Amino acid sequence: MRLPWLAPDITDAIVNGRQPPRLTAQKLIRLSALLPIQWPEQRQLLGFAQDKTAGA
């Protein structure tokens, strides 16, 4: 399970109950084997909103 490598903001959101509604514990475990190392890719895979101002 690669969950220790989650982006810090994703971990924070989950701990504080602010994860996307479709991201359940079961789905997170199912996707854990597919988690990319890159944090932006993790956010996309797990359904976290992209920061529209990034790179602007």
Side-chain angles (χ1 to χ4, degrees):
M1 195 181 273
R2 298 174 64 180
L3 298 182
W5 290 279
L6 277 177
D9 58 303
I10 294 175
T11 302
D12 185 61
I14 292 170
V15 167
N16 290 300
R18 294 182 282 114
Q19 73 275 9
R22 293 184 180 180
L23 183 59
T24 63
Q26 184 178 20
K27 183 175 181 179
L28 182 59
I29 290 169
R30 189 175 63 244
L31 292 175
S32 67
L34 304 173
L35 280 176
I37 298 295
Q38 301 298 320
W39 292 346
E41 294 172 8
Q42 290 179 8
R43 291 180 191 103
Q44 183 177 6
L45 177 67
L46 298 176
F48 284 84
Q50 298 295 316
D51 183 3
K52 305 290 188 213
T53 60

